[in-house]
Amino acid sequence: MEILGNATFENYIGLENGYSEMAYQMVAHILTLGYAVMLAALLYFVLTIKYVAPRFRLSSVLSVVVMVSAFLLLYVQAGNWTSSFVFDQERGRYFLGEGQDLFNNGYRYLNWLIDVPMLLFQILFVVSLTKSNFSSVRNQFWFSGTGMIVTGYIGQYYEVTDFMVFAVWGAISTIFFIHILWLMKKVIDEGKEGIPVAAQNTLNSIWILFLISWMLYPGAYLMPHLAGIEGGFFNETGVVARQLTYTIADVSSKVIYGILLTVVAQHISRHEGYDYTQIKG
Ligand code: RET
């Protein structure tokens, strides 16, 4: 299917086999759920900002920034899906529409370009680093975060046409990712020193959540090539699985992560004598 060029695999399936009603609607619903959660969580982060002592509030502000950008880009991503594929009454399935934009996950990648550095900076406003230098960690987070996304963004254009190019960009992206994981572990280990036990336990949960939810993104990148089901995942099941993986990863790495950081900040705030239940107004 030469005519589709660098298009991602969602388009190849929409051109050749089309989507069943169930697969098409599941993707539309999953994408809608994604941006609805971001808008709801935006209100949560605004409304709970006074629950933590003033020095932690930048963490909530960064969650608000992440929610706004994720909401807008996921909204556009959902519209991209519904406009790319059109129901064909004769064949009873959804096919790639003529004269429409092709579907591309690129909106997500550009959203990550904003959100990944924000999410990484966010923890630095909650924990206190005992050994590492704040600006150095921040700059390394920024450098590897953007490096990981930009290289992955280029690679995803080759997921169908050139597996080697796809794999090489993916591998470069993974080097940046490993650096981020190593740095985050260091930040969390240092952050646990000298804070209440409840806050330490929540930081342990944050590390596990971070590890699992961030690993889902490379899984979604690889989705069309994941083996197991007959012929791999190069079919509509793979398309649904990819969007589902992205949505679970987004809700975990942005919303649940932000809420858990607020919990850590609340424990430390209370320990330091700031109790929001006693604050008036
Ligand atoms: C890519 C390309 C393939 C290799 C790797 C990747 C990692 C992506 C990650 C993205 C995290 C995004 C987040 C977004 C939240 O808004 C780019 C898919 C390792 C880890 C947390």
Side-chain angles (χ1 to χ4, degrees):
M1 288 295 155
E2 275 294 302
I3 50 163
L4 285 185
N6 278 357
T8 50
F9 91 118
E10 291 88 351
N11 302 288
Y12 282 81
I13 288 155
L15 184 71
E16 290 162 31
N17 305 320
Y19 289 99
S20 64
E21 168 68 4
M22 191 166 162
Y24 173 86
Q25 297 293 2
M26 279 176 82
V27 172
H29 298 160
I30 291 163
L31 289 170
T32 306
L33 175 71
Y35 68 76
V37 170
M38 298 303 149
L39 191 62
L42 168 65
L43 288 178
Y44 174 89
F45 289 116
V46 171
L47 293 171
T48 55
I49 195 156
K50 287 208 172 143
Y51 286 22
V52 297
R55 72 181 167 99
F56 297 120
R57 290 186 190 159
L58 216 43
S59 167
S60 298
V61 173
L62 290 179
S63 274
V64 168
V65 171
V66 167
M67 292 305 114
V68 172
S69 83
F71 169 77
L72 290 173
L73 283 130
L74 290 173
Y75 185 80
V76 174
Q77 186 80 64
N80 185 204
W81 173 260
T82 46
S83 69
S84 295
F85 304 104
V86 179
F87 188 67
D88 180 328
Q89 297 204 0
E90 259 142 53
R91 290 182 282 181
R93 292 169 78 81
Y94 294 78
F95 286 87
L96 202 59
E98 267 181 62
Q100 306 283 358
D101 271 7
L102 298 186
F103 183 76
N104 186 258
N105 291 295
Y107 293 109
R108 291 188 182 278
Y109 284 74
L110 294 194
N111 166 239
W112 304 341
L113 211 47
I114 306 167
D115 288 357
V116 162
M118 295 303 134
L119 293 169
L120 295 171
F121 294 167
Q122 200 176 344
I123 194 164
L124 299 178
F125 293 107
V126 175
V127 305
S128 308
L129 298 177
T130 45
K131 295 184 220 65
S132 311
N133 176 277
F134 180 92
S135 331
S136 156
V137 173
R138 183 199 55 203
N139 293 347
Q140 291 184 60
F141 269 156
W142 179 83
F143 178 81
S144 287
T146 51
M148 173 179 82
I149 304 304
V150 171
T151 49
Y153 176 74
I154 301 171
Q156 56 104 27
Y157 282 105
Y158 297 92
E159 66 179 26
V160 180
T161 47
D162 194 333
F163 184 77
M164 265 318 283
V165 176
F166 168 79
V168 168
W169 284 112
I172 301 173
S173 177
T174 305
I175 297 172
F176 289 116
F177 183 41
I178 291 169
H179 178 231
I180 294 172
L181 290 177
W182 172 79
L183 206 56
M184 182 54 106
K185 179 82 178 106
K186 205 164 91 159
V187 165
I188 288 182
D189 284 345
E190 283 186 32
K192 281 197 293 200
E193 287 169 27
I195 60 169
V197 178
Q200 287 179 351
N201 290 340
T202 314
L203 269 182
N204 285 336
S205 309
I206 290 178
W207 168 242
I208 294 171
L209 174 83
F210 183 85
L211 203 56
I212 296 174
S213 63
W214 284 53
M215 298 257 238
L216 292 176
Y217 293 93
Y221 179 89
L222 284 173
M223 196 64 81
H225 300 289
L226 286 184
I229 294 180
E230 213 181 309
F233 252 156
F234 206 106
N235 49 37
E236 65 176 22
T237 310
V239 173
V240 177
R242 177 188 263 177
Q243 298 305 324
L244 187 62
T245 306
Y246 276 141
T247 304
I248 294 172
D250 278 349
V251 173
S252 315
S253 69
K254 302 186 224 253
V255 180
I256 302 178
Y257 171 77
I259 293 174
L260 288 182
L261 279 178
T262 309
V263 172
V264 174
Q266 270 180 40
H267 286 309
I268 305 177
S269 300
R270 211 170 296 144
H271 185 69
E272 291 177 354
Y274 178 94
D275 185 351
Y276 70 90
T277 58
Q278 306 299 319
I279 306 285
K280 296 190 185 64

